[in-house]
Amino acid sequence: MKSLYYILFFGIFNSVYFLVICQNVPSPRREQSSTLVGTRLYFFGGTISSTITVNEVWYLDLSSSFNISTPPWHSDVAMPVGDIFGTSCLSPIDNSTVFLIGGRMRIVNTRNFSYTSSVYRFDSKNSLWTTPTINNFNSSFQARNEMQAVIDNDGKIFVFGGINTGNDDNITTTAYNDMSILDITTMIWSTQTQSQFVLVNVDYTATLLPSGLIVYVGGRGSSTASLNNISQIQIFDTKSYTWSTKSASGSTIASRVSHSAVLTQNGNIIIYGGSTINTTKIGYVFSDIAVLNTNSWAWSVPNVSGTGAPPLTEHSAEIYKNYMILAFGATSATNLYTNKIYILDIQNYTWVTAFNIPTTTNQAKQTQSNGNSSTDQANNSSSNLYIGIGVGAGVVILAAILFIIGFFIYKNRHKEKYVATPGDDHLRENHVPTVYTPGIPPLETYAQTPKY
């Protein structure tokens, strides 16, 4: 009987494993980039171990309600390269093209760096990656990473600072304070050098305000120990191409790197998480929420309710309607990868476990999301088909295993009903269906016909 229990355990384990594998769920990761395209929240690349940089593309479908324990993940066509510490942004020209810029790009399935291009273009409507031809590209930007890009309504991408890949590929580590600008309408690259008062900045957040100001929060200099003062806010004016600094008042917020920032409709910047750095590794990881008022330039810490997200760094954050969505990242210096998502309702600063479509929608948001309606339906149908096939196959396999196990259990119990007499052990072994005892007529009640 023990062997039957082993078979039962093995069968159930494999069936459950098969069902899990058939579900579309990304592996835990960090250092990915993210961009919201209509009702799809895209995630590009990331690292899933100390030696593996992935070229995967995943997105969350935000077109319907869901629980964060079972988020609606979908995979899309893979990138031409693996990428970590890159940045991505959405074209305002068509609201469907994503530009992936910089990062530590590697040849797929290798540890070798790729220098084919520093910019890739993703057509989210047709799931197609291309390499754009860029004029006047600045070669010093090659291998640039740990920076963030923003794009204005005219299609100009602004990327500030960053650092090159590092000594692991024979490139001297250098941090920058230049402003790289790519006009996607002409595909012309330009570089603006800064005066010394503009700090070198790496691992910061960049947020573009409707006024055309880019707000840079946190980050560090060339040394991992030199965290930039988070109360000294560097600001770049995309209209005049000038810099200024604001001294933020209010609550005392710890300086940090690799945090996230989102812009609310009322002009506040919400930051979450981040960490300090212990030499070249993650140090203390934060789990706090801080709000920067861009009218008064004052920090505040809101009262937050609900079961909160854990400490996170090197994660992603995007805002969709009244939700701030966090995904992936490292939760500590030892727990370096997660694939969980967390949602904060920014209307009342409450952590929620369910994503619900608001009853009222912003017209601009609706227009933007319509660009993917047909492909969303097609991909959702395809994904549901694959999941349905996987679940169906799992159920069939499980039913077959249970049937076989039940058959053996029945057969084993049936053998125990035979009555043996001295000298007829061979009958038990040979499973003779009828057993006779000397001196007793073979009455019908003694005849047993086993059912096989």
Side-chain angles (χ1 to χ4, degrees):
M1 288 297 293
K2 287 186 178 181
S3 61
L4 293 177
Y5 290 127
Y6 291 147
I7 294 173
L8 178 62
F9 173 80
F10 179 79
I12 294 176
F13 174 81
N14 279 277
S15 298
V16 172
Y17 178 80
F18 182 80
L19 291 173
V20 170
I21 290 300
C22 286
Q23 295 177 355
N24 239 5
V25 179
S27 54
R29 65 195 61 206
R30 72 181 204 269
E31 301 167 359
Q32 68 289 324
S33 56
S34 62
T35 295
L36 179 65
V37 183
T39 57
R40 298 181 188 178
L41 178 48
Y42 277 95
F43 302 91
F44 303 99
T47 178
I48 60 175
S49 74
S50 60
T51 60
I52 300 177
T53 297
V54 297
N55 66 332
E56 299 170 350
V57 176
W58 293 87
Y59 69 87
L60 276 174
D61 179 10
L62 305 179
S63 63
S64 58
S65 301
F66 62 88
N67 191 284
I68 63 172
S69 62
T70 55
W73 286 112
H74 301 268
S75 60
D76 211 319
V77 63
M79 302 185 297
V81 293
D83 191 47
I84 58 173
F85 288 125
T87 183
S88 57
C89 55
L90 177 67
S91 165
I93 309 302
D94 60 10
N95 288 320
S96 62
T97 300
V98 178
F99 286 86
L100 178 69
I101 304 170
R104 301 180 189 178
M105 295 182 174
R106 300 182 190 270
I107 299 172
V108 178
N109 298 324
T110 75
R111 292 290 295 166
N112 300 323
F113 284 92
S114 171
Y115 302 111
T116 302
S117 178
S118 292
V119 180
Y120 290 92
R121 182 168 48 201
F122 176 59
D123 179 352
S124 64
K125 285 186 176 180
N126 299 302
S127 296
L128 178 66
W129 285 94
T130 56
T131 304
T133 300
I134 300 174
N135 299 311
N136 200 35
F137 179 74
N138 183 358
S139 59
S140 70
F141 190 85
Q142 190 177 63
R144 195 79 65 90
N145 61 94
E146 298 183 49
M147 71 289 182
Q148 281 196 4
V150 299
I151 188 168
D152 68 11
N153 291 330
D154 297 324
K156 289 184 178 179
I157 299 174
F158 296 84
V159 186
F160 175 59
I163 198 167
N164 63 16
T165 299
N167 295 324
D168 55 350
D169 199 47
N170 298 319
I171 299 176
T172 303
T173 300
T174 304
Y176 296 86
N177 73 338
D178 57 357
M179 178 66 76
S180 300
I181 305 168
L182 174 61
D183 187 336
I184 66 170
T185 63
T186 61
M187 298 311 296
I188 295 177
W189 188 283
S190 60
T191 303
Q192 184 186 39
T193 57
Q194 319 297 334
S195 61
Q196 292 299 316
F197 90 91
V198 179
L199 296 175
V200 166
N201 210 344
V202 180
D203 294 330
Y204 54 82
T205 58
T207 306
L208 178 64
L209 304 181
S211 62
L213 300 179
I214 305 176
V215 180
Y216 294 94
V217 176
R220 65 177 177 88
S222 297
S223 169
T224 56
S226 59
L227 299 182
N228 293 335
N229 188 343
I230 203 169
S231 294
Q232 296 300 307
I233 310 296
Q234 290 194 98
I235 298 172
F236 181 77
D237 190 328
T238 60
K239 297 177 180 178
S240 64
Y241 284 28
T242 57
W243 286 89
S244 61
T245 302
K246 295 287 187 181
S247 295
S249 59
S251 302
T252 300
I253 308 299
S255 297
R256 64 197 66 196
V257 297
S258 302
H259 48 294
S260 61
V262 297
L263 179 67
T264 67
Q265 292 184 351
N266 60 3
N268 289 336
I269 296 175
I270 303 175
I271 69 167
Y272 184 81
S275 65
T276 60
I277 300 179
N278 183 10
T279 60
T280 60
K281 299 181 180 180
I282 294 173
Y284 178 80
V285 182
F286 296 97
S287 61
D288 57 340
I289 294 174
V291 179
L292 177 65
N293 186 313
T294 58
N295 293 314
S296 63
W297 299 106
W299 283 108
S300 63
V301 177
N303 293 320
V304 182
S305 61
T307 302
L312 285 174
T313 189
E314 298 178 352
H315 57 287
S316 292
E318 297 288 345
I319 199 162
Y320 182 77
K321 300 187 184 298
N322 57 294
Y323 292 121
M324 179 177 75
I325 303 174
L326 307 176
F328 302 112
T331 61
S332 69
T334 55
N335 186 15
L336 297 177
Y337 312 95
T338 182
N339 61 356
K340 303 295 184 182
I341 70 168
Y342 305 92
I343 299 178
L344 179 74
D345 188 335
I346 61 174
Q347 294 183 122
N348 50 20
Y349 287 99
T350 300
W351 291 104
V352 297
T353 58
F355 174 88
N356 296 310
I357 299 297
T359 55
T360 59
T361 57
N362 181 282
Q363 185 64 38
K365 294 288 187 181
Q366 281 186 324
T367 303
Q368 178 176 329
S369 66
N370 286 340
N372 285 320
S373 59
S374 61
T375 48
D376 277 340
Q377 292 174 1
N379 283 340
N380 289 349
S381 299
S382 176
S383 179
N384 291 337
L385 175 63
Y386 294 147
I387 293 174
I389 292 173
V391 172
V395 170
V396 170
I397 292 174
L398 181 60
I401 292 173
L402 293 177
F403 175 80
I404 294 172
I405 293 173
F407 174 78
F408 280 110
I409 291 176
Y410 171 81
K411 190 173 182 179
N412 185 71
R413 289 182 175 178
H414 190 70
K415 288 194 304 180
E416 294 175 356
K417 292 182 180 179
Y418 291 125
V419 179
T421 57
D424 66 351
D425 287 343
H426 64 284
L427 295 179
R428 183 190 306 271
E429 295 175 359
N430 294 326
H431 304 295
V432 176
T434 306
V435 181
Y436 299 99
T437 302
I440 300 179
L443 300 176
E444 182 179 356
T445 55
Y446 288 92
Q448 300 185 32
T449 303
K451 298 179 183 179
Y452 290 95

